């Protein structure tokens, strides 16, 4: 826990999770949106998983396609009018249509082909040509797939193109030819048949040879007659590169266009174990994270797009710990013909908070909103768009009945093998998920509840054995089970999961009256892993451990509360604050000598008090309580951050919200950040390019209000 604010927040969240209920009137109806409501946005665009984003603009509309792996409906497409506020408008298919039982969790349990976790469909490319939309993607073992539709909402036509093309970029060239760019390290270009029946294999050529430091995740564009290939590499850590050529066939020259932009997030710990989906009893290891490591926590892999004003933007993914991979929006600055991420004076890095794209009048009616309605009362005839099944469902074994979701139990040994598990991604940075479970329809051997589908998995729920109900908490990481006999006079129980996803931890609790919640089990560590290739996912599940079809479980009033979604008070405009440097724990002080320095933690003089003055659109100036203003002289080197009595000279900063009271100050003049080295003894400077993964390089600050 990095700050006092975080400690308080954890305490309040714990009260909500385990101490009391959340009445309908008291629930926080806000859900994370990047839009700050003041003309700016704060990354990530979504605080839940959206992997391998590819961006497309058609007229005034933007479309974002993303990976869905083994879950269905599959290949998600979001729509936006301003590149900041998104909504789910389509999936390319409702279920996998391959004649293979593994896509339905029907293969032999414990063997690789009994499931398609972390396989399925991934790394899509969305394009528009010939009056229709194309979405290309790969299915492990099935080859290249293409989905076409004249309407983004569908219906979509499936073309199985086969071949061995994956993680591809596609270009519809001016001469009518269609090219697929693919491969890791050794980059290939292959022409595709216009009817989407397959690749023209004899056209395959190497366009970038091995040893050129180019990776995968290719996105190809033709801009002003030049071919630009955006790729990502992860050896030895994540970087995004651009390769360019006057010919699709090369030769290409390559330049790194962004690296090390982590927004102060270190690499997630990866679950360690052998095999794939192991039975209960397997040993797992979740190592302690290296808080100084970048790895793939930096922004990488994604597409670029030009808005209506001529400004280019990059939409890249970033690993956000146990949440998985989500999407960031970064401005592009063209220099010497290269599309660098970032702003003039600080190329290669990107602001976490920045001005929304200038898309003209089309954004006038766009109000800040989340891409999904995450809560669900199951009163409708269809499930909400946010829901996905874990593998293909058996549609005869689930239904929406009288305002509830009914799951009929089928044989399974554990949660990861339970068919018809209904899932949705967890939402960060913290959230509280509650569902009502009705037990009347359970039969002997039935197990049902609320779980986290991840490796390792966990859950809280009800087990029926010998006509008795047992409340069970299970954590696969340690194969630990806690049982508690329980009486449910209403044949109903409330189950809750409380997640601190930035901190990779979660807890379960339960209630028998919907008001008082009791914790069960320990605080669990969460991680990211490369088996499902997904982050944590909520699961409503029901299965039978006795190898037979059993009864049924019913779920109602699935609600998600996001305590940190409302960020309207995160910039302390009009308040007087102390500014603490996270690297040293020492407050900022305005020296009489005219420089900005740091001081003893016990110093609470007026020279450590600064009033935050709002300049609009997320911009502020700082005034010391002694009347002087913070300004910057020269290039921003150590000693250039000074004090002045002339308000006209005050430096204008864009406040970078890092949540939980943490922030950075970016100069609107050189687009660099104020900071102080924790080791050299130098005064504050304005030459920091950004935060390090541990937030301890001296550029990340914390504010506390002066009372």
């Amino acid at each position: 826990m990095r700050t006092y604010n975080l400690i308080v927040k954890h305490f309040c969240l714990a009260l909500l999770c385990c101490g009391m209920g959340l009445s309908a009137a008291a629930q926080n109806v806000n859900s994370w949106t990047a839009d700050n409501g003041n003309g700016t946005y704060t990354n990530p665009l979504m605080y839940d998983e959206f992997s391998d984003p590819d961006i497309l603009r058609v007229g005034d509309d933007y479309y974002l396609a993303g990976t869905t792996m083994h879950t269905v409906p599959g290949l998600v497409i979001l729509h936006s009018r301003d590149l900041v506020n998104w909504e789910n408008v389509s999936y390319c298919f409702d279920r996998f249509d391959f004649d293979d039982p593994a896509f339905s969790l029907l293969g032999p349990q414990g063997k690789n082909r009994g499931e398609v976790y972390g396989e399925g469909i991934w790394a899509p490319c969305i394009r528009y040509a010939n009056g229709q939309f194309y979405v290309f993607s790969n299915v492990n073992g099935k080859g290249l797939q293409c989905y076409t539709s004249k309407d983004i909402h569908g219906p979509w036509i499936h073309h199985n193109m086969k071949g061995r093309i994956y993680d591809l970029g596609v270009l519809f060239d001016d001469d009518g030819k269609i090219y697929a760019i693919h491969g890791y390290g050794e980059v290939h270009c292959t022409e595709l048949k216009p009817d989407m029946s397959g690749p023209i294999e004899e056209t395959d050529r190497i366009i970038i040879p091995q040893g050129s430091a180019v990776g995968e995740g290719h996105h190809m564009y033709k801009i002003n007659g030049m071919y630009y290939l955006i790729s990502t590499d992860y050896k030895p850590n994540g970087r995004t590169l651009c390769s360019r050529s006057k010919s699709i066939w090369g030769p290409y020259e390559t330049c790194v266009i962004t690296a090390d932009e982590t927004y102060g997030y270190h690499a997630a710990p990866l679950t360690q174990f052998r095999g794939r989906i192991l039975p209960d009893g397997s040993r797992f290891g979740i190592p302690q994270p290296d808080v100084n490591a970048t790895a793939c926590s930096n922004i990488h892999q994604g597409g670029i797009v030009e808005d209506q004003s001529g400004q280019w933007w990059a939409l890249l993914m970033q690993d956000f710990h146990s949440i998985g991979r989500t999407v960031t929006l970064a401005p592009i600055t063209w220099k010497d013909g290269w599309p660098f991420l970032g702003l003039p004076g600080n190329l290669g890095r990107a602001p976490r908070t920045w001005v929304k794209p200038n898309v003209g009048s089309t954004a006038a009616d766009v109000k800040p909103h989340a891409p999904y309605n995450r809560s669900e009362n199951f009163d409708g005839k269809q499930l909400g768009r946010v829901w996905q099944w874990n593998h293909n469902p058996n549609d005869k074994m689930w239904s929406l009945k009288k305002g509830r979701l009914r799951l009929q139990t089928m044989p399974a040994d554990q949660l990861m093998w339970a068919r018809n598990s209904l899932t949705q991604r967890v939402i960060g940075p913290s959230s509280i998920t509650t569902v009502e479970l009705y037990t009347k329809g359970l039969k002997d051997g039935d197990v049902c509840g609320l779980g986290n589908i991840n490796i390792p998995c966990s859950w809280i729920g009800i087990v029926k054995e010998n006509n008795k109900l047992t409340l069970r908490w299970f954590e696969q990481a340690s194969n630990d089970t806690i049982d508690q006999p329980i009486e449910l006079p209403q044949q109903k129980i409330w189950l809750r999961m409380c997640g601190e996803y930035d901190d990779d931890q979660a807890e379960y609790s339960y209630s028998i009256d919907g008001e008082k919640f009791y914790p069960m089990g320990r605080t669990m560590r969460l991680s990211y892993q490369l088996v499902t290739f997904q982050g944590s996912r909520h699961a409503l599940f029901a299965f039978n451990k006795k190898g037979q079809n059993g009864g049924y479980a019913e779920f109602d009033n699935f609600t998600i509360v996001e305590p940190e979604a409302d960020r309207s008070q995160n910039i302390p405009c009009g308040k007087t604050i102390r500014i603490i440097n996270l690297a040293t724990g020492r407050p900022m002080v305005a020296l009489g000598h005219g420089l900005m320095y740091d001081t003893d933690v016990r110093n609470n003089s007026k020279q450590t008090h600064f009033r935050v003055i709002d300049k609009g659109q997320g911009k502020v100036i700082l005034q010391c309580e002694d009347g002087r203003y913070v300004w910057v002289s020269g290039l921003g080197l150590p000693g250039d951050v000074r004090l002045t009595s002339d308000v006209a000279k005050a430096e204008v900063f864009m406040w970078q919200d890092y949540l939980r009271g943490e922030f950075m100050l970016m100069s609107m003049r050189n687009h660099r950040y104020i900071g102080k080295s924790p080791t050299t003894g130098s005064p504050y400077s304005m030459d920091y390019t950004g935060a390090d993964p541990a937030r301890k390089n001296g550029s990340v600050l914390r504010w506390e209000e002066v009372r």
Side-chain angles (χ1 to χ4, degrees):
M1 299 181 187
R2 291 187 293 266
T3 68
Y4 171 77
N5 286 355
L6 182 54
I7 293 172
V8 171
K9 196 271 299 182
H10 271 285
F11 174 73
C12 293
L13 198 57
L15 288 178
L16 290 173
C17 289
C18 303
M20 63 187 73
L22 289 166
S23 68
Q27 288 180 15
N28 182 348
V29 297
N30 293 308
S31 186
W32 177 277
T33 172
D35 196 328
N36 293 316
N38 62 358
T40 69
Y41 68 92
T42 294
N43 284 308
L45 292 182
M46 291 78 72
Y47 223 117
D48 62 341
E49 188 166 62
F50 196 99
S51 299
D52 306 317
D54 193 37
I55 183 67
L56 170 70
R57 175 186 161 202
V58 180
D60 291 333
D61 296 289
Y62 297 90
Y63 302 102
L64 194 65
T67 286
T68 49
M69 290 296 182
H70 51 276
T71 53
V72 293
L75 282 190
V76 62
I77 298 174
L78 306 185
H79 168 257
S80 176
R81 301 279 282 179
D82 64 359
L83 279 172
V84 173
N85 294 280
W86 296 86
E87 62 178 335
N88 182 340
V89 295
S90 189
Y91 290 96
C92 288
F93 59 90
D94 290 331
R95 62 191 295 121
F96 292 106
D97 55 5
F98 303 106
D99 185 19
D100 186 336
F103 288 92
S104 301
L105 271 179
L106 283 173
Q109 295 191 18
K111 296 185 178 180
N112 285 3
R113 295 311 299 164
E115 35 74 25
V116 291
Y117 281 114
E119 298 181 357
I121 196 160
W122 46 277
C125 172
I126 184 169
R127 293 293 180 261
Y128 183 81
N130 308 315
Q132 66 179 348
F133 294 93
Y134 297 77
V135 180
F136 300 87
S137 196
N138 170 76
V139 173
N140 289 62
K142 309 299 179 183
L144 179 61
Q145 312 297 314
C146 179
Y147 297 84
T148 59
S149 176
K150 294 185 180 298
D151 187 337
I152 196 67
H153 301 90
W156 294 85
I157 299 172
H158 181 197
H159 311 264
N160 189 343
M161 302 178 70
K162 301 182 180 179
R164 286 185 54 80
I165 294 176
Y166 60 91
D167 218 1
L168 76 163
V170 175
L171 177 73
F172 287 78
D173 211 343
D174 301 333
D175 60 3
K177 292 185 177 180
I178 310 168
Y179 299 102
I181 294 81
H182 55 102
Y184 179 79
E186 183 179 88
V187 182
H188 290 242
C189 179
T190 306
E191 192 175 341
L192 302 179
K193 296 177 181 178
D195 63 357
M196 299 299 118
S197 60
I200 305 174
E201 298 288 358
E202 61 270 20
T203 66
D204 183 86
R205 285 171 55 183
I206 298 171
I207 60 173
I208 300 178
Q210 187 69 259
S212 300
V214 174
E216 60 185 6
H218 306 297
H219 301 256
M220 178 63 85
Y221 306 91
K222 192 174 185 180
I223 304 170
N224 297 328
M226 183 75 75
Y227 294 88
Y228 288 88
L229 179 63
I230 309 297
S231 309
T232 192
D233 188 29
Y234 58 84
K235 293 180 180 179
N237 71 340
R239 303 174 315 286
T240 299
L241 308 100
C242 178
S243 305
R244 69 184 183 187
S245 174
K246 294 181 179 179
S247 167
I248 188 75
W249 304 109
Y252 285 85
E253 55 180 334
T254 299
C255 178
V256 174
I257 59 174
T258 184
D260 293 332
E261 186 53 79
T262 70
Y263 298 125
Y265 284 83
H266 58 76
L270 294 179
T271 302
Q272 304 295 313
F273 65 99
R274 294 181 180 179
R276 285 180 58 78
I277 308 304
L278 287 81
D280 299 346
S282 301
R283 293 187 175 274
F284 298 85
I286 302 178
Q288 291 297 322
D290 181 351
V291 298
N292 297 301
T294 299
C296 288
S297 62
N298 59 317
I299 55 178
H300 66 288
Q301 189 158 335
I304 64 174
V305 69
E306 183 183 21
D307 70 19
Q308 291 91 318
S309 71
Q311 169 69 47
W312 284 81
W313 300 85
L315 289 93
L316 306 183
M317 71 178 180
Q318 180 181 359
D319 292 14
F320 263 62
H321 292 206
S322 56
I323 287 173
R325 293 165 167 171
T326 188
V327 183
T328 62
L329 177 67
I332 286 174
T333 297
W334 287 86
K335 182 176 175 59
D336 300 329
W338 296 104
F340 290 97
L341 271 69
L343 299 165
N346 196 7
L347 299 184
R349 304 297 293 267
R352 184 168 189 178
T353 299
W354 186 237
V355 180
K356 290 175 59 178
N358 178 13
V359 295
S361 60
T362 61
D365 297 329
V366 178
K367 305 299 182 185
H369 64 268
Y372 307 97
N373 292 320
R374 304 181 192 279
S375 297
E376 173 77 85
N377 59 16
F378 301 111
D379 287 345
K381 295 182 179 180
Q382 295 179 326
L383 293 169
R385 288 185 177 273
V386 72
W387 293 106
Q388 292 176 289
W389 297 100
N390 180 19
H391 292 64
N392 284 340
N394 181 340
D395 289 329
K396 295 181 179 180
M397 300 295 283
W398 75 274
S399 59
L400 295 173
K401 284 183 174 290
K402 298 179 180 179
R404 297 178 189 169
L405 167 70
R406 176 176 291 189
L407 299 180
Q408 296 176 238
T409 62
M410 292 177 281
D413 290 337
Q414 57 141 312
L415 171 59
M416 300 301 291
W417 287 100
R419 300 190 65 201
N420 283 14
S421 293
L422 188 62
T423 75
Q424 65 167 270
R425 298 165 297 278
V426 301
I427 176 73
S430 59
S431 56
I432 305 160
T433 300
T434 310
V435 69
E436 298 173 14
L437 169 63
Y438 290 81
T439 61
K440 180 180 179 180
L442 297 181
K443 292 185 178 180
D444 198 50
D446 284 349
V447 183
C448 58
L450 171 67
N452 174 27
I453 286 191
N454 202 335
I455 305 294
C457 68
S458 64
W459 53 268
I460 186 173
I462 294 293
V463 179
K464 187 168 185 177
E465 293 179 310
N466 300 320
N467 289 322
K468 293 184 178 180
L469 298 182
T470 299
L471 177 66
R472 177 169 294 172
W473 172 92
F474 173 74
E475 184 186 23
Q476 193 180 34
S478 56
N479 194 35
D480 193 5
T481 300
I482 298 175
D483 282 349
Q484 176 178 313
I486 195 166
E487 298 287 339
L488 300 176
Q490 302 180 61
Q491 296 181 310
K492 173 182 177 181
I493 189 171
W494 286 258
L495 304 175
R496 176 169 288 176
M497 178 176 172
C498 174
E500 288 285 354
Y501 300 108
D502 274 5
D503 297 331
D504 295 322
Q505 61 185 34
E507 298 174 343
Y508 287 114
S509 59
Y510 71 96
S511 173
I512 57 175
D513 61 6
E515 294 295 329
K516 180 66 175 178
F517 278 77
Y518 302 92
M520 190 168 188
R522 69 175 69 88
T523 298
M524 300 168 293
R525 291 189 64 199
L526 305 176
S527 76
Y528 189 64
Q529 35 70 43
L530 304 182
V531 178
T532 71
F533 260 101
Q534 291 182 330
S536 296
R537 297 179 73 92
H538 296 305
L540 304 181
F541 68 90
F543 62 92
N544 187 282
K545 291 201 70 170
K546 295 198 171 182
Q548 61 191 19
N549 290 344
Y552 62 85
E554 290 186 325
F555 299 87
D556 200 1
N557 295 323
F558 180 94
T559 62
I560 296 182
V561 176
E562 303 174 44
E564 296 177 89
D566 182 0
R567 306 189 305 282
S568 60
Q569 303 302 310
N570 285 18
I571 305 179
C573 291
K575 296 180 179 179
T576 299
I577 64 173
R578 291 209 317 163
I579 299 174
I580 314 300
N581 193 305
L582 288 190
T584 64
R586 296 163 68 93
M588 183 183 291
V589 64
L591 298 180
H593 187 51
L595 299 177
M596 296 296 296
Y597 201 60
D598 61 10
T599 186
D600 188 274
V601 294
R602 295 167 293 181
N603 186 349
N604 195 28
S605 67
K606 64 181 181 180
Q607 279 72 36
T608 66
H609 298 175
F610 297 88
R611 188 162 68 94
V612 181
I613 301 174
D614 186 8
K615 301 298 290 185
Q617 279 200 316
K619 296 186 284 292
V620 302
I621 62 175
L622 297 179
Q623 183 183 27
C624 182
E625 196 171 63
D626 67 10
R628 295 177 295 168
Y629 298 89
V630 177
W631 74 293
V632 179
S633 170
L635 297 176
L637 299 177
D640 279 347
V641 181
R642 303 180 183 176
L643 283 302
T644 177
S645 59
D646 184 358
V647 66
K649 293 174 66 175
E651 191 78 7
V652 177
F653 302 101
M654 176 161 282
W655 189 282
Q656 304 290 300
D657 185 13
Y658 274 54
L659 311 181
R660 302 176 174 181
E662 297 179 6
F663 68 101
M664 294 174 68
L665 292 172
M666 185 182 73
S667 167
M668 292 299 293
R669 185 165 51 85
N670 69 357
H671 302 124
R672 296 201 172 207
Y673 303 92
I674 193 170
K676 184 185 184 306
S677 168
T679 58
T680 65
S682 296
Y684 271 88
S685 67
M686 186 58 73
D687 63 349
Y688 281 75
T689 57
D692 67 337
R695 305 189 184 185
K696 291 299 180 67
N697 67 340
S699 63
V700 183
L701 313 169
R702 173 175 58 85
W703 66 271
E704 56 185 35
E705 188 174 1
V706 176
R707 300 291 183 180

